Amino acid sequence: MKTFCGRANPTTGSMEWLEEGEDYDYHQEIARSRYADMLHDKDRNVKYYQGIRAAVSRVKERGEKAIVLDIGTGTGLLSMMAASAGADFCYAIEVFKPMANAAVKIVEKNGFSDKIKVINKHSTEVTVGPDGDMQCRANILVTELFDTELIGEGALPTYEHAHKFLVQEGCEAVPHRATVYVQLVESRRMWSWKKLFPVHVEAEDGEKVLVPPSEMENCPGVPSVCDIQLNQMPSSDFSPLSDVVTMFSVDFSKPVQSASTYYRVQLEPVKSGKAQIVLSWWDIDMDPSGMINCTMAPYWVKPTSALQWRDHWMQCVYFLPREEPVVQGEKLYLTACRDEYSVWYNLQRAREGENKADKEEPEADVCVESPVCRCRAHLLWNRPRFGELNDQNRTRQYIRSLRKVLKTDSVCLCISDGSLLPVLAHYLGAKQVCHLGSGCMQPSRIDFYHRSNHLEDKIKIIEARPELLKPSHLEDKKISVLVGEPFFTTSLLPWHNLYFWYARTAVSTHLVSNVTVLPQSASLHMMIVEFQDLWRIRSPCGTCEGFDVQTMDDMIKDSLNFRESKEAEPHPLWEYPCKSLSDPQQVLTFDFTKTVPQHCLSTQGSVKLLRKGKSHGAVLWMEYHLTADISVSTGLMQLSNEKGNCEWNPHCKQAVYFFSSVIESEIQSDPTAVTYAINFDTKTGEIAMDFKL
Ligand code: SAH
């Protein structure tokens, strides 16, 4: 079946109709899936195997047949482990059709077809009985349905249903239990992902302070989980206010309830400070004794030597509804509320005169509703964007460059989503300031911010696509200064923000002939890197704990090559350390003082590999040249040191192009080089690249 999907091109802004075959979604899902990462997760695999062996033994010791239910079998891995451990029969359930098909092949290739039945259904559709999918209920329940937040992939309703309909009472479960841990911290860095800080501007007539809307003060934000590689957060960026405490546990061998509920613990701050953030992670015990434990604990809790890198399970950052000053030793209650799929947190002070003994039953009001943004800011700006807007260094660069280009008679138009530039331009003396929402995309209403700073009649918001801009929008004036960060919410890859160039081209007739454009130009940069760990997510696995999973590798490779266009993918590299193997190289430039040319922009060349290492791929990012001497980078923040360590912009995702074959450079006397060809098609806004090692 073919369907046509309409979408706005993120770079050019034009509407396109793409013909999407049924396969398209499959390939996207497989190519970007976490299956490879899970298969590379040695610690997880080994512990599942140990847990499964122990569970099969316990059942056999009772003289029973071992009948396994594996919900979400994926490649079939856990069922094959169970069969190898002596299970009599396994029902392997997988809802995602391409995976279920792959599981059938993998099971067959490994010689387990007579012991494992793959069922392509959602577990809640599975039937039990003589004519059912399963002959009888299972006595061993094996699953791996967890995300970083533990329950976000629907583990609770799946377990609830399985205990009611698919497994026997008193069954063995692998994992046996999961426990969620929390730690209360103060962190300006992480808090800057939720709250906008005041912005200070030195204006002609004294210092101006831009204040965030008061509604933001108590706004709970958005419910989506903030999951990050907490191991990349240096200890200097946060300050623990409590010990690590157990928040709640789930015993998977007993009936599980998925209905909304809450858990409460008492905390005594180990330090006075501002409670802002709850850091959280979980562990799973593969057996009842807790001897086989797989934990996501970060480096300061667990010795670094024992850390297993993984991207499919990370750690969570929860933002308290408001910042709460806490005093060392006082009594606090931390409440975790959850529904079927998500968790959120609340901090309360113990009321005076209340003592531990009668504190068993918390009041009914502790469980507040799932966070819903009331201030609108959390709908306009996502967490990295908050961080970017709060980055004072960055703001300073924009203020410095605006000051250089603005004059008292400037008519200024800003094209960027949810940007503070119009407000800065106003304070820095522009006569007239307009803000163009990106129109064809999401509305970029930022009027709540203008209102809180009494600027609603100072900055005109024009809700129109750039090509539909009319002289009347601008009160028949011509634009003398065109500004952009540029930033657009629809951008996924760094060069998608080149939409600014297309918008600039579309508004050309409204510009004075000697218009100033800020940024005046942009450049695309590239560097060859060796990843410490990220390579695993796209690297074939071959065998996993002795099982041949090459079928899965082939399937991923197929999907990556689908349409024969390998693409770069966005990753926030501050979370994924890498070593530079080449110098950064500027590969393309884009002149914003001119309109987008008709012809393609292309370049080719070679980069020398300067260091010993494995070339996993190329990293690409954009730099914006605000004025002749002021630039901002969305990628590399400074040249890497002699070891090749890199510091990346912490608010942006960079583009990563994984090479299909890795080369190991030995670099002694004879440096190797990587040749590249990069083409920016100005019609489609797409960047095609090719690398040869
Ligand atoms: N068990 C495999 C794969 C785990 S990934 C391993 O450990 O390597 C989880 C898989 O479960 C995904 O393939 C997803 O499609 C599937 N899944 C999730 N919930 C399910 C449900 N309720 N019924 C059937 N499949 C489910």
Side-chain angles (χ1 to χ4, degrees):
M1 202 182 71
K2 297 238 157 99
T3 43
F4 285 91
C5 303
R7 62 153 202 176
N9 180 304
T11 312
T12 66
S14 57
M15 268 314 266
E16 332 183 298
W17 292 94
L18 301 173
E19 194 185 306
E20 302 296 19
E22 195 176 3
D23 293 348
Y24 178 77
D25 284 344
Y26 283 8
H27 286 298
Q28 284 298 310
E29 194 148 339
I30 298 283
R32 303 283 173 250
S33 70
R34 299 170 186 272
Y35 292 108
D37 181 29
M38 293 187 292
L39 295 175
H40 281 292
D41 186 343
K42 183 84 187 157
D43 179 63
R44 176 197 87 120
N45 300 337
V46 165
K47 285 167 180 167
Y48 260 99
Y49 210 169
Q50 289 173 352
I52 288 169
R53 281 201 200 98
V56 172
S57 305
R58 288 196 301 276
V59 169
K60 294 271 177 180
E61 272 163 26
R62 297 202 290 260
E64 295 169 24
K65 276 191 161 183
I67 309 296
V68 175
L69 171 65
D70 169 12
I71 303 180
T73 199
T75 52
L77 180 70
L78 305 182
S79 286
M80 294 192 292
M81 288 179 177
S84 299
D88 294 277
F89 202 78
C90 304
Y91 295 100
I93 319 296
E94 175 55 56
V95 65
F96 185 39
K97 186 139 195 263
M99 276 316 301
N101 293 344
V104 170
K105 284 190 206 146
I106 295 171
V107 163
E108 193 181 277
K109 204 169 167 190
N110 287 277
F112 291 110
S113 294
D114 58 333
K115 288 268 191 255
I116 299 174
K117 178 181 176 187
V118 177
I119 301 166
N120 176 208
K121 278 189 175 180
H122 191 270
S123 60
T124 52
E125 305 292 317
V126 169
T127 55
V128 182
D131 304 318
D133 299 308
M134 298 169 65
Q135 289 291 299
C136 61
R137 287 180 176 233
N139 53 7
I140 301 180
L141 175 56
V142 177
T143 78
E144 203 274 60
L145 301 166
F146 314 114
D147 68 344
T148 295
E149 203 177 19
L150 188 70
I151 64 170
E153 277 172 18
L156 294 177
T158 293
Y159 271 109
E160 182 170 38
H161 173 271
H163 277 288
K164 278 188 189 147
F165 302 105
L166 307 177
V167 297
Q168 298 170 17
E169 208 185 308
C171 74
E172 300 287 343
V174 183
H176 178 80
R177 109 175 50 76
T179 307
V180 173
Y181 301 89
V182 293
Q183 188 168 27
L184 192 64
V185 307
E186 170 176 342
S187 166
R188 185 177 162 88
R189 173 165 178 199
M190 287 184 260
W191 197 234
S192 84
W193 300 343
K194 187 205 174 198
K195 240 197 94 169
L196 202 62
F197 300 149
V199 181
H200 297 260
V201 192
E202 283 302 331
E204 290 286 289
D205 48 343
E207 194 196 56
K208 295 276 183 332
V209 184
L210 300 176
V211 294
S214 56
E215 301 88 6
M216 200 186 283
E217 207 54 50
N218 293 324
C219 182
V222 281
S224 62
V225 67
C226 176
D227 50 346
I228 61 165
Q229 292 283 0
L230 208 46
N231 288 318
Q232 297 309 318
M233 183 68 64
S235 55
S236 53
D237 279 353
F238 64 96
S239 159
L241 299 180
S242 81
D243 292 328
V244 175
V245 295
T246 300
M247 197 69 225
F248 65 93
S249 296
V250 187
D251 180 343
F252 296 123
S253 70
K254 306 254 158 59
V256 167
Q257 256 131 42
S258 68
S260 298
T261 186
Y262 60 84
Y263 311 90
R264 203 151 98 130
V265 292
Q266 191 172 335
L267 282 183
E268 271 182 27
V270 292
K271 200 178 147 189
S272 300
K274 286 180 264 179
Q276 297 164 327
I277 303 285
V278 176
L279 299 179
S280 172
W281 57 88
W282 49 261
D283 66 13
I284 40 183
D285 285 319
M286 296 298 182
D287 70 334
S289 77
M291 296 292 281
I292 314 166
N293 180 271
C294 182
T295 177
M296 306 310 126
Y299 66 88
W300 63 94
V301 181
K302 199 187 165 180
T304 338
S305 59
L307 288 177
Q308 160 78 48
W309 185 88
R310 43 172 76 93
D311 205 39
H312 61 117
W313 292 331
M314 298 182 270
Q315 293 79 24
C316 296
V317 178
Y318 293 98
F319 304 87
L320 289 174
R322 76 194 76 78
E323 179 177 287
E324 202 75 64
V326 299
V327 179
Q328 183 178 353
E330 77 171 315
K331 280 196 180 54
L332 298 172
Y333 293 100
L334 183 67
T335 310
C337 304
R338 69 149 184 83
D339 56 21
E340 281 185 306
Y341 297 97
S342 65
V343 186
W344 60 97
Y345 284 86
N346 233 315
L347 189 69
Q348 291 111 356
R349 197 155 267 121
R351 290 210 203 95
E352 274 183 45
E354 224 170 26
N355 63 38
K356 261 186 191 165
D358 50 52
K359 215 38 258 145
E360 291 314 308
E361 274 310 297
E363 311 78 41
D365 66 347
V366 291
C367 193
V368 288
E369 272 173 38
S370 155
V372 179
C373 170
R374 289 188 298 259
C375 74
R376 301 185 47 201
H378 301 96
L379 306 177
L380 179 63
W381 298 313
N382 65 15
R383 290 164 186 137
R385 179 65 170 154
F386 265 94
E388 186 171 52
L389 294 173
N390 280 323
D391 184 334
Q392 292 177 345
N393 255 330
R394 180 177 182 273
T395 305
R396 224 171 284 136
Q397 304 300 312
Y398 283 93
I399 290 177
R400 269 179 59 212
S401 47
L402 280 171
R403 196 173 275 137
K404 284 189 183 209
V405 303
L406 289 174
K407 303 198 180 69
T408 45
D409 61 351
S410 292
V411 176
C412 178
L413 178 71
C414 172
I415 307 181
S416 268
D417 288 347
S419 179
L420 305 186
L421 286 190
V423 180
L424 297 179
H426 168 74
Y427 279 128
L428 293 168
K431 185 171 153 212
Q432 189 180 333
V433 183
C434 299
H435 190 176
L436 193 63
S438 51
C440 60
M441 305 175 183
Q442 291 150 4
S444 51
R445 301 303 303 213
I446 190 179
D447 34 348
F448 63 87
Y449 187 80
H450 297 167
R451 264 200 306 281
S452 65
N453 287 286
H454 310 291
L455 293 171
E456 56 271 50
D457 51 350
K458 302 287 191 323
I459 294 158
K460 183 176 175 191
I461 297 181
I462 305 169
E463 211 61 69
R465 295 171 55 102
E467 56 274 31
L468 299 179
L469 188 68
K470 291 199 222 42
S472 59
H473 284 128
L474 303 165
E475 292 160 17
D476 294 316
K477 294 205 183 69
K478 291 268 184 191
I479 299 154
S480 58
V481 180
L482 181 68
V483 301
E485 300 183 32
F487 175 91
F488 301 100
T489 52
T490 41
S491 297
L492 299 171
L493 288 163
W495 46 86
H496 289 166
N497 283 326
L498 284 175
Y499 173 65
F500 177 73
W501 202 14
Y502 289 82
R504 177 257 177 263
T505 304
V507 302
S508 285
T509 55
H510 303 280
L511 309 177
V512 298
S513 58
N514 59 344
V515 65
T516 305
V517 185
L518 181 163
Q520 55 183 28
S521 65
S523 46
L524 179 68
H525 298 249
M526 189 262 290
M527 192 167 79
I528 311 295
V529 302
E530 173 184 71
F531 286 107
Q532 191 177 300
D533 298 294
L534 192 66
W535 59 271
R536 291 168 208 271
I537 66 166
R538 299 288 167 261
S539 153
C541 190
T543 59
C544 181
E545 297 309 304
F547 303 102
D548 180 343
V549 292
Q550 208 197 318
T551 308
M552 187 67 218
D553 294 338
D554 295 343
M555 200 165 140
I556 294 174
K557 204 164 125 207
D558 257 19
S559 291
L560 284 170
N561 292 334
F562 179 63
R563 285 189 178 162
E564 286 151 52
S565 65
K566 257 198 77 179
E567 280 173 16
E569 42 185 288
H571 291 285
L573 291 188
W574 73 266
E575 293 183 64
Y576 303 100
C578 61
K579 179 168 102 171
S580 68
L581 297 184
S582 75
D583 279 334
Q585 189 133 334
Q586 179 170 314
V587 286
L588 286 176
T589 55
F590 312 93
D591 184 356
F592 295 161
T593 65
K594 306 215 169 69
T595 55
V596 178
Q598 295 290 315
H599 57 85
C600 293
L601 303 178
S602 44
T603 181
Q604 45 193 334
S606 69
V607 270
K608 274 202 190 114
L609 297 179
L610 307 170
R611 268 180 212 96
K612 219 171 139 168
K614 294 192 168 93
S615 303
H616 290 128
V619 175
L620 298 104
W621 68 94
M622 297 289 287
E623 294 189 4
Y624 297 105
H625 310 292
L626 304 181
T627 59
D629 56 346
I630 303 175
S631 294
V632 290
S633 170
T634 65
L636 202 62
M637 296 308 278
Q638 56 191 47
L639 275 182
S640 39
N641 62 12
E642 66 288 353
K643 286 201 185 113
N645 298 335
C646 309
E647 189 194 327
W648 299 100
N649 182 317
H651 317 300
C652 299
K653 288 184 180 178
Q654 291 75 35
V656 177
Y657 184 97
F658 287 99
F659 297 152
S660 38
S661 58
V662 171
I663 59 155
E664 263 195 272
S665 53
E666 283 299 335
I667 318 295
Q668 300 302 342
S669 49
D670 185 24
T672 339
V674 175
T675 60
Y676 61 83
I678 297 178
N679 181 60
F680 176 60
D681 183 335
T682 53
K683 295 245 159 37
T684 63
E686 272 163 28
I687 292 197
M689 46 199 133
D690 190 30
F691 294 87
K692 288 209 174 59
L693 308 169

